[in-house]
Amino acid sequence: DQLGTLYYRCLVCASVAGLSSSTLSDPISVTVEELSVSALFIETLPLRTDYVSGDTLETEGLTVRAQLDNDESRILNEGFGVYPTRLEQPGTQEIEVSYQGKTCVFTVNVQQAEEVITGIGVLTLPKKTSYVVGDTLDTAGLSIRVYTSDSYRDVSEGLECSPTSFDTAGDQTVTVRYGDRECTFTVPVSQEAVPAGLSVARLPDKIQYAVGESLDTTGLVIRQISSSNESTDIYSGFTCSPTEFSAAGHQEITVTYGGLSCRFNVTVTQAAAASPSPSPTPSP
């Protein structure tokens, strides 16, 4: 059973008429070599073949059959190599067993490890943050940061929010739920939307005038902002002052609508002097 080269000598003993004699032969070398493996097969699978991603492979119970060159075989339960030993990718994972340059494989099942969430927090608020009684929550733009035991990630889908509608005025707390964790943010809810601001959305087509001309509001668009942060473009029904230009220079125009006002500027230049009338040619 011992591999390698061994040396043997023979001891010869004889006894005649009460006399004994012995002699030792010259050494003889005997070399024992291991038979080469021609093929490798799985004999029995390991006791454990189901894992969770991140687990380490267990080879207890695994045996392989090594087919030798002399057509004999040997059952091995140790001395072979296995790869991989750490199981990361979910799904069916192929495990390679190697011994004396020969390989065979078996498969194990790897499931995705359940994520452990340690906390969540609001990363970006929704685009709409002001409401009136009766409005429905708009979550466009809302995102949260999800913290796990060793990292974090940002999430904008799969979020559950409550409440989804607002029945009373005042500051309302909205609860965001993801998995078994919650975080909150607050939005103001007013009784009804009221005009809160006015601005010029588009200047009139004409903003250059001469002294004596009248204001032309063609093309003028103003924008009304409500207390719920909603905007409405107004194309008519507003008043402007002044409407006549009597002096040259930059002139500020005040636009009034619904008790609110905004302003824009025009340029007024001095009118060109009239050319003198031609006089008759004097007689000689």
Side-chain angles (χ1 to χ4, degrees):
D1 294 334
Q2 186 175 355
L3 300 178
T5 301
L6 301 177
Y7 295 88
Y8 297 89
R9 303 179 78 174
C10 182
L11 178 63
V12 179
C13 298
S15 179
V16 178
L19 299 175
S20 60
S21 178
S22 63
T23 184
L24 192 63
S25 69
D26 292 334
I28 300 174
S29 63
V30 176
T31 300
V32 180
E33 296 180 348
E34 185 174 14
L35 290 172
S36 298
V37 176
S38 60
L40 202 65
F41 305 94
I42 299 295
E43 186 71 12
T44 60
L45 290 171
L47 298 179
R48 183 182 179 187
T49 56
D50 293 319
Y51 294 88
V52 174
S53 59
D55 283 350
T56 301
L57 180 71
E58 298 177 8
T59 58
E60 182 182 358
L62 173 63
T63 60
V64 296
R65 178 165 53 88
Q67 188 71 37
L68 305 179
D69 287 341
N70 63 352
D71 292 334
E72 294 182 357
S73 62
R74 179 183 301 168
I75 303 299
L76 306 173
N77 57 16
E78 61 180 359
F80 44 76
V82 291
Y83 181 83
T85 57
R86 185 171 176 82
L87 309 171
E88 298 285 0
Q89 188 67 33
T92 301
Q93 179 77 57
E94 192 172 83
I95 307 299
E96 182 181 86
V97 182
S98 60
Y99 181 74
Q100 290 192 10
K102 302 299 180 182
T103 61
C104 59
V105 297
F106 67 94
T107 58
V108 295
N109 299 314
V110 182
Q111 295 181 345
Q112 178 66 53
E114 184 176 352
E115 183 180 54
V116 178
I117 299 175
T118 58
I120 64 174
V122 174
L123 182 64
T124 59
L125 290 170
K127 296 178 181 178
K128 183 175 181 180
T129 56
S130 299
Y131 295 86
V132 296
V133 172
D135 277 353
T136 299
L137 179 68
D138 185 353
T139 60
L142 174 64
S143 67
I144 65 171
R145 178 156 288 177
V146 178
Y147 296 90
T148 60
S149 56
D150 56 357
S151 64
Y152 66 85
R153 56 191 174 87
D154 298 335
V155 176
S156 59
E157 298 181 352
L159 308 178
E160 297 180 6
C161 296
S162 177
T164 56
S165 61
F166 306 106
D167 300 326
T168 58
D171 289 339
Q172 299 288 326
T173 298
V174 178
T175 300
V176 184
R177 185 176 180 86
Y178 184 79
D180 60 351
R181 299 288 176 169
E182 294 179 350
C183 59
T184 62
F185 65 92
T186 303
V187 295
V189 181
S190 59
Q191 192 63 39
E192 60 179 347
V194 295
L198 201 68
S199 63
V200 175
R202 184 179 184 277
L203 289 171
D205 295 338
K206 183 176 181 180
I207 57 173
Q208 301 284 341
Y209 293 89
V211 171
E213 288 188 320
S214 300
L215 178 68
D216 184 355
T217 60
T218 302
L220 175 61
V221 180
I222 60 174
R223 182 163 293 156
Q224 181 176 266
I225 308 298
S226 71
S227 57
S228 62
N229 205 33
E230 295 181 349
S231 62
T232 304
D233 288 346
I234 309 298
Y235 297 87
S236 62
F238 43 76
T239 59
C240 296
S241 178
T243 57
E244 303 289 338
F245 305 113
S246 59
H250 293 293
Q251 182 71 58
E252 185 178 71
I253 308 299
T254 300
V255 186
T256 304
Y257 183 83
L260 300 172
S261 62
C262 59
R263 294 168 178 80
F264 67 92
N265 292 322
V266 297
T267 301
V268 182
T269 58
Q270 187 66 48
S275 300
S277 301
S279 57
T281 302
S283 299

